[in-house]
Amino acid sequence: VQLQASGGGLVQAGGSLRLSCVASGRALGGFALGWFRQAPGKEREFVAARSWSVDSIYYADSVKGRFTISRDYAKSTVFLQMNDLKPEDTAVYYCAATTYGYSDPERYGYWGQGTQVTVSS
């Protein structure tokens, strides 16, 4: 699976961004697609994930109620809608795919390149 993330940028606190991740190379049935982020000097952390085929969706506590993960079957794309952004959301965001697990980055075997999200205060 090849993953191509996009949609990052600079936004003021309280603003919104939508990240996209286009998957290619194979069918996504049986996969989960996830978003992770990594801020400078910090470990990569789980943000959100969902099963491609069923409505199993998971969020980190820090983003619940603000971020929404969704998918478009026809476009083989997973989205991360980020609302009410905070400066602490600043990080490089990565999309990833796995055939098992949701929040553990070690279980993800496929990664896209990162997209930078910067939230100014």
Side-chain angles (χ1 to χ4, degrees), residues 4-113:
Q4 181 74 35
S6 62
L10 173 64
V11 64
Q12 290 187 332
S16 299
L17 283 173
R18 188 175 80 157
L19 305 183
S20 300
C21 178
V22 180
S24 62
R26 62 173 295 172
L28 295 175
F31 278 84
L33 279 294
W35 288 95
F36 293 80
R37 65 187 182 187
Q38 188 166 20
K42 295 187 177 181
E43 293 187 353
R44 190 168 298 189
E45 67 170 353
F46 169 74
V47 176
R50 67 159 299 139
S51 167
W52 182 255
S53 303
V54 298
D55 286 335
S56 296
I57 296 174
Y58 304 85
Y59 294 100
D61 288 343
S62 59
V63 306
K64 280 181 182 176
R66 300 188 299 123
F67 290 13
T68 302
I69 187 170
S70 62
R71 46 117 164 82
D72 184 322
Y73 275 127
K75 297 181 179 179
S76 295
T77 300
V78 65
F79 302 99
L80 185 68
Q81 177 66 43
M82 305 185 295
N83 298 328
D84 190 23
L85 282 161
K86 304 176 181 181
E88 51 265 41
D89 294 318
T90 295
V92 177
Y93 283 70
Y94 299 88
C95 63
T98 181
T99 55
Y100 70 111
Y102 287 97
S103 63
D104 183 355
E106 297 297 324
R107 293 180 177 268
Y108 283 75
Y110 306 91
W111 291 84
Q113 90 294 354

